Amino acid sequence: MAPHATPQPVQSIAHGDLSGRVGVEVIQARGIDADALVSKLVDAAAAEFTTYYYYTVLRMYLAGHEDYKQVCEDARLEDRAHFELIAPRIYELGGTLPYDIRRFAERSGCPDAYLPGTGGGSRNGRLRDDVVAEATPAAILEVLLEAERCAIRAWSEICDIAAGKDLRTYDMAMRILNEEIEHEAWFIELLSMERDGVARPSGHFQRGAAGDAPYSKNRGFYNP
Ligand code: ZN
Ligand code: FE
């Protein structure tokens, strides 16, 4: 089908039939492979969820750099918002999250954002007062930056798949992509000055409230 050709109307789901979904039928009629899309969304949801976890660790080690901590916190909470936004879409499409969180984490579409100096997460730190000398602000900012870049690539790909065919997934992925692009700009700005002493402005100031997620949170729906 040409990209913007009007799809043939389909009506294969019988009156009262719960085994099919018109919301899926219409996107399939427009050329979407619903199973493949669900699979991509699960991978991307896993990346958001694991990033949220790893950013929790990374943020702790920015101690003494309260401005970096604040920006990391915004990115962390917004990635959680991205998981929250996209998880229901997986079910609307007839899919499910994996029932085991280990399988979920393994499916992540992005590499683990390990704290620098922890041997890819394998180092056995002391449970109390562990010191990780390699976890410098510059090293941490590099990990944060590359995680955002992976997210931009992943959501851009989902936008490409959904554009003009699955408008709801497109709208959600676009909201997330908006914030991921802002996140990359934040960490370019901070890393550039921290590591290279060069100003590369993001063009932004910090969020009004931590993890504000101006594009991806639909506050009005649930908390009027
Ligand atoms: Zn995200
Ligand atoms: Fe992000």
Side-chain angles (χ1 to χ4, degrees), residues 20 113 161:
I161 292 168

Side-chain angles (χ1 to χ4, degrees), residues 48 78-79 82 148 151 155 176 180 183:
E48 297 295 339
E78 291 187 358
D79 281 356
H82 299 166
E148 302 303 343
W155 290 111
I176 296 171
E180 302 299 7
H183 295 176

